[in-house]
Amino acid sequence: MPLLDPSAGPVALTRALCDIPSVSGDERAIADAVEAALAAHAPHLQVVRDGDTLIARTELGRARRVAIAGHLDTVPINDNLPVRDEIDPETGEAFIRGRGTVDMKAGVAVQLALAVELTDPAVDLTWVWYDHEEVASDLSGLGRAMRHRPELFAADFAILGEPSNGTIEGGCNGTLRARVTLTGTRAHAARSWMGVNAIHRAGLLLDRLAAFEPERIVVDGLEYREGLNAVRIEGGVAGNVIPDRCDIEVNYRFAPSRTDEEAAEVVREFFADADEVEIVDLAPGARPGLDAPLAQGFVAAVGAVPTAKFGWTDVSRFSALGIPAVNFGPGNAMLAHADDERVPVAQIESAADALRSWLATAG
């Protein structure tokens, strides 16, 4: 089993965590390593394990509690491990390059280093490291642990270590997937006038989608940008048959001011001329949560203007429990999942400094 030394600091810990392969579904080794590090270095934490999810809590009797979470898994490796150090030749900036550096083992490293270091924080802390984030939401280790042990997740504020360039990104957009079906009539391709081509019918719909201009919606002072896009299309019977069915999968990213029902209605109305619209997956968004007193103190500690999180993240799961939640971690989300994924060393250190200083006074 790989050995982790949290006392080495978050930069060294980022390298060590990234070099433990943990593609979704293969998190056992990294979960074991984190659990062993906590057992060896963090006697002040009470640790509970649920599958490959770890929940480590202080029980100091503080008036308020903060949950800080990060996922252990990555998307598949593509010849980009082990990590390597780089220096930008133009700026002199130092980076760590490799799978998981951005999404989101640098954030996990910051959390694990501070979980061991902070034995007397101003608030009680619940640290969570979980499996299966990069796959279907029903497999999420965080969701599973919340169902199994909901009492462990009670908190006044939550921080998710998703990459945010070391600034705070409030809440998140919701996400909806729908299957839009267009039907026709089969016929021999040599006598196409005898049929109705479902794929051709889809062309008009795709033109309308291409011309769609997403809304920008301000929620609690942050501007969220919506999006409606085709992400998959299926149709066809044989090379000499006019197709009688075409299915288009669409993804709608919606502002957290919309309810699930409102988001579904937007999609149904947009595709009202389709033969069927089936909602196949829906995850609600999360409002920014920046009006909470703990959030305001955290914003001051980070010292940068918060922005909106456009993608869906697990802050939604905390928000559903009534816990205000934000995203905060090192790394540029634009590089998440990229083959040239890389995180600035200075950003890892500054994220750790901001979180450390705030947790010392947050109560």
Side-chain angles (χ1 to χ4, degrees):
M1 179 178 64
L3 297 179
L4 299 173
D5 180 9
S7 67
V11 174
L13 201 51
T14 296
R15 298 186 186 98
L17 286 165
C18 287
D19 283 344
I20 303 173
S22 57
V23 175
S24 303
D26 188 27
E27 297 97 333
R28 180 59 51 84
I30 194 168
D32 288 348
V34 171
E35 185 176 36
L38 293 172
H41 301 282
H44 59 287
L45 296 174
Q46 297 182 8
V47 180
V48 174
R49 183 160 177 168
D50 184 297
D52 291 328
T53 290
L54 295 157
I55 304 108
R57 294 163 52 92
T58 63
E59 295 291 352
L60 302 171
R62 303 292 194 245
R64 292 186 284 187
R65 178 176 290 275
V66 175
I68 303 176
H71 64 81
L72 297 171
D73 60 323
T74 71
V75 297
I77 298 162
N78 189 19
D79 196 28
N80 49 5
L81 282 184
V83 298
R84 64 178 190 266
D85 293 325
E86 291 185 344
I87 302 293
D88 187 301
E90 296 183 0
T91 66
E93 188 173 17
F95 291 87
I96 304 173
R97 177 189 290 263
R99 175 62 75 228
T101 51
V102 170
D103 195 9
M104 55 166 283
K105 289 185 178 177
V108 168
V110 168
Q111 295 166 2
L112 183 56
L114 294 183
V116 169
E117 174 189 333
L118 299 176
T119 59
D120 190 32
V123 291
D124 267 311
L125 296 172
T126 301
W127 303 94
V128 187
W129 298 284
Y130 59 99
D131 58 287
H132 284 88
E133 191 274 345
E134 298 288 5
V135 288
S137 61
D138 60 343
L139 298 175
S140 166
L142 180 61
R144 182 189 65 244
M146 285 178 166
R147 292 190 299 273
H148 290 173
R149 299 294 301 272
E151 74 280 3
L152 298 180
F153 292 90
D156 301 286
F157 181 57
I159 299 169
L160 188 69
E162 287 286 350
S164 63
N165 260 335
T167 63
I168 293 171
E169 292 182 333
C172 69
N173 273 332
T175 181
L176 176 155
R177 288 187 301 112
R179 182 180 299 110
V180 179
T181 300
L182 298 158
T183 60
T185 303
R186 288 194 193 188
H188 195 294
R191 293 175 290 277
S192 59
W193 59 89
M194 300 296 294
V196 177
N197 193 313
I199 293 178
H200 289 183
R201 284 192 65 202
L204 295 174
L205 187 151
L206 292 172
D207 285 342
R208 190 162 74 241
L209 263 180
F212 175 74
E213 294 188 7
E215 289 190 66
R216 296 171 184 258
I217 298 176
V218 176
V219 182
D220 298 341
L222 299 185
E223 183 181 80
Y224 292 83
R225 183 172 181 173
E226 297 194 324
L228 182 63
N229 292 280
V231 294
R232 183 178 290 113
I233 188 166
E234 296 178 344
V237 180
N240 60 352
V241 177
I242 299 301
D244 61 347
R245 182 183 177 111
C246 182
D247 292 309
I248 302 171
E249 184 176 318
V250 297
N251 179 226
Y252 178 38
R253 300 294 175 133
F254 57 94
S257 55
R258 297 191 196 271
T259 66
D260 292 358
E261 294 77 14
E262 289 168 344
E265 187 58 28
V266 167
V267 172
R268 291 191 181 101
E269 287 185 3
F270 189 88
F271 299 108
D273 52 343
D275 294 290
E276 183 181 357
V277 177
E278 178 187 2
I279 308 301
V280 296
D281 187 42
L282 197 158
R287 299 184 77 91
L290 297 176
D291 52 350
L294 284 171
Q296 294 171 6
F298 187 41
V299 170
V302 173
V305 177
T307 58
K309 173 63 88 174
F310 296 138
W312 186 91
T313 75
D314 279 312
V315 295
S316 176
R317 298 185 190 276
F318 288 102
S319 180
L321 297 177
I323 303 169
V326 300
N327 305 276
F328 174 77
N332 183 348
M334 299 295 287
L335 294 175
H337 304 181
D339 289 341
D340 62 345
E341 194 173 345
R342 60 193 183 278
V343 63
V345 168
Q347 214 171 80
I348 300 172
E349 294 170 335
S350 64
D353 289 344
L355 194 53
R356 178 189 295 111
S357 65
W358 176 66
L359 290 173
T361 61

